[in-house]
Amino acid sequence: MSQLALPLKLQDHAVFESFLPTGNEALVAFLKDAVETDGGPGGWIWGAPSTGKTHLLQAVCERAGDRAQFLPLSEFGNAGAEILDGLQNRRFVCLDDVDRVAGDEAWELGLFGLFNALGDAGGVLICAAAASPRECQFELPDLVSRFSRLPAFHVHALEDAERIEALQLRARHRGLDLPADTASYLLTRSKRDMSSLYAILDKLDTEALKAQRRLTIPFVREVIGLNQQP
């Protein structure tokens, strides 16, 4: 087993069923197939923040269960590359924000070793980053070469109509009814990135449960107004 003695808690919403695949159908199908067939070359997911990269990595881990390990390098980069030790014993290793350790010699050597060890063991490495492997400013040529072998997918950012659909899908997954007009109202009254919108939806879920209210525009206006008070 990995020396990673921190069982990182996956977000309860981060499953394939709550991810709107519009524009990313090939990527979602690829990841599901990797889990179902228990193998494959792994993959590289890249794109702008709040486009669903972390969600998809965690969805893989949720479906793979204890065969998988999720590790966000944005949170654990300072822990040192030793944190990778033993991960080759997992069938699936999902590394988020891999580009955050680019240029760090110890990390690059650790990632290179993990890539090779997982390959030898028949494991699957799935990485997420802000850019493609050759644009992430890794300094170890052999590491860039290895990462570039992975099938790469650029995550499509949602348009406004798709954001509404994604919010409604997330709401249904939480047992909520989010009318289209309420979802549209949220888009005009908050930050438009999906992370911010989902955070507001989480808040609305909590407040609606406490108040026993439906997610109407007046109720959403009340909650957002409270959040904006100093």
Side-chain angles (χ1 to χ4, degrees):
M1 295 295 291
S2 165
Q3 292 181 2
L4 193 63
L6 31 118
L8 295 170
K9 182 174 174 57
L10 303 178
Q11 297 294 315
D12 59 0
H13 63 259
V15 294
F16 284 119
E17 291 77 11
S18 66
F19 184 84
L20 185 71
T22 304
N24 297 300
E25 292 88 351
L27 167 57
V28 173
F30 174 84
L31 295 175
K32 287 181 177 179
D33 183 67
V35 179
E36 290 168 4
T37 59
D38 198 32
W44 186 276
I45 306 171
W46 65 279
S50 300
T51 50
K53 302 186 298 295
T54 299
H55 185 136
L56 288 172
L57 290 183
Q58 292 200 10
V60 168
C61 292
E62 186 274 337
R63 187 160 292 191
D66 60 8
R67 296 175 297 154
Q69 178 68 59
F70 170 73
L71 182 63
L73 300 192
S74 58
E75 296 180 32
F76 293 95
N78 292 334
E82 295 79 11
I83 203 170
L84 300 174
D85 292 348
L87 286 185
Q88 70 273 11
N89 296 316
R90 298 294 178 97
R91 189 66 175 177
F92 295 88
V93 177
C94 294
L95 302 180
D96 204 1
D97 301 313
V98 180
D99 51 311
R100 297 292 187 90
V101 297
D104 184 306
E105 182 180 6
W107 267 105
E108 293 196 16
L109 288 171
L111 290 169
F112 180 73
L114 176 62
F115 188 104
N116 292 332
L118 271 174
D120 291 342
V124 180
L125 178 65
I126 303 175
C127 299
S132 66
R134 297 192 181 280
E135 297 174 327
C136 283
Q137 299 183 339
F138 291 109
E139 296 180 358
L140 185 63
D142 286 342
L143 180 62
V144 176
S145 175
R146 295 296 195 280
F147 279 158
S148 296
R149 294 178 188 176
L150 298 173
F153 296 86
H154 183 204
V155 183
H156 164 77
L158 300 178
E159 303 293 340
D160 280 357
E162 296 163 350
R163 291 170 196 260
I164 291 174
E165 190 176 352
L167 278 170
Q168 291 181 301
L169 176 62
R170 180 70 65 89
R172 287 195 300 273
H173 184 72
R174 300 183 71 102
L176 297 171
D177 175 35
L178 180 65
D181 59 345
T182 303
S184 180
Y185 178 83
L186 281 175
L187 256 65
T188 64
R189 295 297 190 278
S190 67
K191 294 181 180 178
R192 302 174 69 81
D193 65 277
M194 294 310 301
S195 293
S196 297
L197 289 167
Y198 287 149
I200 291 177
L201 184 61
D202 290 344
K203 176 68 174 177
L204 290 171
D205 184 11
T206 301
E207 295 299 326
L209 182 62
K210 289 194 298 187
Q212 293 296 297
R213 298 274 298 276
R214 296 173 58 244
L215 297 184
T216 61
I217 289 177
F219 176 69
V220 169
R221 186 184 297 119
E222 286 180 28
V223 174
I224 292 177
L226 288 173
N227 289 343
Q228 291 176 344
Q229 289 180 1

